[in-house]
Amino acid sequence: MEAALRLPNPSPAPLTADGRAALIVVDVQTCWWSLSPCGLARAAFPNLPQRTAALLAMARVHGVPIVHVRANYEGSPHVATMRRLNPSLNTVPILPDSEAWARERPGEPVVFKSTFDGFFRTELEACLCRMGVTRVLVCGLVTSACVLSTALGAFHRGFDVLLVEDCCADRSVARHQATVAMYADYCFRAASTQDVSELLPRLRAPSRAPQ
């Protein structure tokens, strides 16, 4: 199934250290993880907390800025439809409370969004542009929803997008793998934390601090 979803691309572009980079952490919130009644993502991706904490630590060591994107949906018009379609998945308030292992540090911007796409009617693009960012690394929850929508939002705005695949999670491994298979080497590159650990020392940190 996964192979059938991938585009035939015998010569994908190599992973390089071009551009000024930032890390976008999408929706690592208690409502999607520790307080989620269904617990599907926790069961399918038990190593997400440790891997995400390690990724954030690496970014901080190498001076790659981190922008945290959080869902704050309780006033959003799509929530009623989402709950009607998925009554068992959205039974707790969708509030922007971060998991402790992905919490922002002083000086790290937090952008609040009202839809799946972290760029839609938010300050995310302006924040990245102020820092001179041309490449974004993306991780978080949920791969097939807000992570994908935000990665595509970055792609549509001309950013080079690198999805840190093993720092993302979905409600099943199959959904996660299908999403990555459909869009990797098409709209973004997919990489592991090991790949990123080798890349980060060669990335150029933005010359301007976030505002």
Side-chain angles (χ1 to χ4, degrees):
M1 178 64 176
E2 185 180 348
L5 294 173
R6 291 188 181 275
L7 286 174
N9 188 356
S11 302
L15 184 61
T16 67
D18 300 332
R20 299 187 184 276
L23 172 63
I24 301 176
V25 182
V26 180
D27 288 8
V28 183
Q29 298 167 220
T30 57
C31 58
W32 307 126
W33 187 258
S34 60
L35 297 183
S36 173
C38 66
L40 296 176
R42 294 195 307 273
F45 296 87
N47 296 322
L48 181 71
Q50 297 91 330
R51 287 176 176 168
T52 302
L55 177 64
L56 269 62
M58 283 193 292
R60 289 163 180 148
V61 165
H62 293 289
V64 174
I66 302 170
V67 182
H68 302 262
V69 174
R70 306 252 171 84
N72 192 12
Y73 289 171
E74 286 307 296
S76 299
H78 76 280
V79 170
T81 300
M82 187 169 67
R83 285 185 167 138
R84 187 168 63 251
L85 292 172
N86 307 280
S88 65
L89 296 180
N90 300 284
T91 59
V92 297
I94 304 172
L95 300 174
D97 299 327
S98 172
E99 292 289 350
W101 39 271
R103 191 162 293 147
E104 72 276 9
R105 295 273 183 89
E108 294 176 355
V110 179
V111 174
F112 298 100
K113 64 183 179 68
S114 60
T115 68
F116 284 11
D117 180 0
F119 287 88
F120 181 71
R121 294 180 180 175
T122 73
E123 290 297 310
L124 182 54
E125 182 177 11
C127 177
L128 296 171
C129 289
R130 283 196 297 268
M131 293 189 286
V133 167
T134 58
R135 164 178 280 185
V136 294
L137 288 70
V138 181
C139 69
L141 297 164
V142 170
T143 313
S144 61
C146 296
V147 172
L148 175 62
S149 293
T150 299
L152 292 179
F155 167 76
H156 293 150
R157 289 162 177 81
F159 293 97
D160 182 27
V161 183
L162 181 64
L163 184 78
V164 189
E165 182 177 354
D166 56 358
C167 286
C168 299
D170 208 308
R171 294 183 174 98
S172 73
V173 172
R175 290 175 65 87
H176 169 86
Q177 291 177 338
T179 301
V180 175
M182 286 185 68
Y183 290 96
D185 297 324
Y186 179 44
C187 297
F188 52 71
R189 294 293 310 274
S192 67
T193 49
Q194 179 61 42
D195 296 327
V196 172
S197 71
E198 297 170 1
L199 184 68
L200 281 179
R202 298 184 285 121
L203 285 173
R204 291 182 293 159
S207 56
R208 295 186 294 278
Q211 300 174 10

